[in-house]
Amino acid sequence: MLKKIATLSAAMMLFAGTGSVFAYSAQLKPYSDVKKDWATDSIYKLSVTGVVSGMGNGNFQGNGVLTREAFVKMLMAATPKVTETTKPMKLKDLQDPTHWSYDYVHRAYAQGLIQFMITNHTFKPKNEITREEVAVLTGNLLLQAMTEEERKTWTNSGWKTEASNRQFVDAKNMNPKYLPELYYSSSLGVMVGDKTGAFRPAASLTRKEAASIIERVINERIKDQPLSGIGYYAIESFKQANQMSMLNDVKFGWSELSYPADGTASLEMKNGEYAVPSGWEAAIQIADQNQVQKELSIFAHNGKGQLSKFLKDVPAQQAFIQSVQTELTNNPYGFTGISVDFEGIKEDSEQAAFVSFLQQLKQNLKGFTLSVAVPPTNWYKGYDLKSIGKLADQVILMAYDYTHAESKLPSAPLPLVNESIQTALKVISKEKLVLGISKQANQWITRPDGTVVSEQPAIKLVEQRATKPGSKVEFVAPYFLSKITFKDERGSHEIWYEDAKSIEHKIWLAKFYGLQGVSLWHMGNYTAADYEVVKKHTNRR
């Protein structure tokens, strides 16, 4: 999964002159009017997912007030659809199904969230929404996660304890009809008072306040979202072998495709970077002790078009599949399946051949699982995501290596990670999709003569650099990556890299979409702090 970096970077450079690298629809530039404060991360995280958006001309207008329909749109965009909306909605002032907020308001109506805001079939969508309405609306939504008995207990008496604890100084100004819902939102920290102890129920809500509130609603929704941890055990990973205890599934990167001549191919496990290491028994023993699923990862890259050629060579494919079957029959490692990591397939015309190969492989696995790694399809068009999603037991989305030297675009900015997830989810079920995270760094050096060169330093050296005097380290949105800047005799340096904080934001994204899990390439690169984040958010925590 690292061998493709140089190739993808080169492919990106081919498009630099046309400006195509900026053709992404994602919000890659910061808003000109968003300064670092308590709402900044919320604004950018929700912008990444499309829950909120700017107001044009590069502005967010965080201090602008929100209407009822605007807040309902944001809240519903942050909430997955449970069922299709079939309950009819008859509002005198919102009848046009093509109106931008209609579908969102209809969803909220069908879920029973906004009825308290409707009088005589009138919603008044353009009215400024009040803090009280927001609290009741979010409380309504979050109460739906309770059982009927739990809701009844809270509605009858539970909220009174929260009211007693909060002691809002202006509680007398709240509508007594909706106190259970309001105080439930308060109890979860979604809607709380100000520093003076006032709730300000009649006050309007700003866009930046809404972003912060809706992120809290999301966090409450996803806090117990199941998420599997998947590790790639390859390339000097033994020092992290004991971290398998927090993983559900491990892909052992101990093989690759050998295709020496027409009609001949096999599974290579004895030679090369991805060979079975000496002392492999210790790693397998640790995996077995922790009862993780074990797949053999098979690597191949389309360097010099060899993989494209292989996908046209049916006899070679048959020989290769036979080689895989032989290995699984002997199988001293106890592998439970195969993980195919075939990278660099560029052309639309190659999709059918790759799918056909996977189908043949799957048919011959006879009880073993099949996972398939796929890149974002912005540049590599040879992956039919829909067909791969149907036949694979699991799809690993390698949502990284967007690196572009000329524009200084790093490997995995969160907006592009999100875009790749959204694209994949159009045709692959979330229950099968795994978000791949690669622990890597991208460095640009502006030399004294003004020329710029790029490098990919080892992550260990990057994290050492971050602690040295003269290094400025900051966490930057909307990329949601850490950046180090410093100067030395070589020139001015800028390094973007994955650390525990950026990894946690990617995990947040996986949970937001309800994906099956996240995968770590490769286990040896991850630090103790990184693994603590993984442990905190995955099933085996």
Side-chain angles (χ1 to χ4, degrees), residues 87-116:
K87 185 176 182 178
M89 179 178 72
K90 295 181 180 180
L91 297 177
K92 294 176 182 177
D93 51 359
L94 191 56
Q95 298 180 3
D96 182 4
T98 65
H99 184 66
W100 65 269
S101 71
Y102 184 91
D103 286 344
Y104 298 103
V105 175
H106 193 186
R107 275 183 58 197
Y109 180 87
Q111 287 182 233
L113 301 178
I114 60 173
Q115 275 71 1
F116 75 98

Side-chain angles (χ1 to χ4, degrees), residues 172-227:
K172 64 181 182 298
N173 297 328
M174 297 173 179
N175 190 326
K177 287 184 180 180
Y178 307 119
L179 294 180
E181 293 82 5
L182 185 151
Y183 278 111
Y184 190 62
S185 184
S186 169
S187 73
L188 298 174
V190 173
M191 285 290 291
V192 293
D194 61 22
K195 293 179 181 178
T196 70
F199 188 81
R200 298 181 291 119
S204 298
L205 193 76
T206 65
R207 285 168 53 79
K208 66 193 298 183
E209 286 175 325
S212 182
I213 289 165
I214 290 176
E215 188 193 351
R216 292 174 204 154
V217 172
I218 292 170
N219 291 341
E220 181 64 27
R221 171 175 69 81
I222 69 175
K223 66 180 183 180
D224 296 319
Q225 176 72 40
L227 192 75

Side-chain angles (χ1 to χ4, degrees), residues 352-472:
F354 185 43
V355 170
S356 176
F357 164 74
L358 292 174
Q359 288 172 334
Q360 293 300 314
L361 178 62
K362 174 81 171 179
Q363 289 172 8
N364 286 276
L365 285 180
K366 296 179 180 178
F368 289 91
T369 57
L370 173 67
S371 66
V372 180
V374 299
T377 53
N378 304 77
W379 307 107
Y380 290 101
K381 305 292 186 181
Y383 301 83
D384 178 352
L385 297 185
K386 184 175 182 178
S387 296
I388 292 170
K390 284 182 178 179
L391 67 91
D393 298 298
Q394 181 187 73
V395 180
I396 310 290
L397 178 62
M398 298 182 289
Y400 44 83
D401 292 346
Y402 283 100
T403 310
H404 180 245
E406 187 176 274
S407 68
K408 295 186 179 180
L409 183 70
S411 172
L414 200 67
L416 295 183
V417 174
N418 177 77
E419 191 173 86
S420 67
I421 293 172
Q422 289 183 334
T423 298
L425 284 175
K426 291 176 182 177
V427 291
I428 301 173
S429 70
K430 64 182 181 180
E431 291 80 12
K432 283 189 177 184
L433 194 63
V434 171
L435 175 60
I437 304 173
S438 177
K439 175 87 169 174
Q440 59 178 271
N442 303 107
Q443 181 173 6
W444 284 269
I445 307 166
T446 304
R447 293 167 169 166
D449 64 2
T451 59
V452 180
V453 295
S454 60
E455 297 179 354
Q456 289 180 314
I459 202 73
K460 181 178 180 180
L461 298 179
V462 170
E463 293 184 333
Q464 289 174 355
R465 176 74 249 185
T467 64
K468 291 183 178 180
S471 295
K472 179 184 177 182

Side-chain angles (χ1 to χ4, degrees), residues 138-151:
T138 55
N140 264 333
L141 176 65
L142 294 169
L143 277 166
Q144 290 184 351
M146 282 187 171
T147 65
E148 185 176 348
E149 184 177 346
E150 288 171 335
R151 281 196 300 273

Side-chain angles (χ1 to χ4, degrees), residues 458-501:
I459 202 73
K460 181 178 180 180
L461 298 179
V462 170
E463 293 184 333
Q464 289 174 355
R465 176 74 249 185
T467 64
K468 291 183 178 180
S471 295
K472 179 184 177 182
V473 183
E474 54 186 329
F475 192 73
V476 184
Y479 285 179
F480 287 95
L481 294 168
S482 285
K483 182 172 76 168
I484 305 172
T485 51
F486 65 96
K487 293 182 179 180
D488 62 14
E489 66 282 356
R490 297 174 65 194
S492 298
H493 299 252
E494 182 179 300
I495 304 175
W496 294 90
Y497 71 105
E498 295 280 1
D499 63 1
K501 192 171 182 180

